[in-house]
Amino acid sequence: MRLKPAVSVDEAVNWLATQASAEWGVEVTPELIKTLTPMAEAMAAISAADVPWDVEPMFL
């Protein structure tokens, strides 16, 4: 998932839920939402941080 431009918590939850559904099945996804939400909140917070280009790691 992209983190730049910034993602919202809802976008991150939806993406994580889609991935969970693909891996473990649609029937268990609602149970996982409680676990996925804190991770989505962290993803949104990290994506909103302004990291200078010379500090951010580059993957080539």
Side-chain angles (χ1 to χ4, degrees):
M1 168 177 223
R2 66 169 172 78
L3 291 178
K4 294 293 181 186
V7 297
S8 69
V9 174
D10 289 336
E11 286 177 301
V13 167
N14 288 337
W15 186 82
L16 290 169
T18 299
Q19 300 306 309
S21 294
E23 186 66 29
W24 295 294
V26 177
E27 58 279 349
V28 299
T29 303
E31 297 172 30
L32 296 174
I33 294 295
K34 289 180 183 177
T35 304
L36 298 175
T37 301
M39 185 180 299
E41 291 169 350
M43 291 171 71
I46 290 168
S47 74
D50 187 24
V51 180
W53 70 270
D54 60 337
V55 175
E56 187 170 344
M58 294 185 164
F59 300 98
L60 303 176

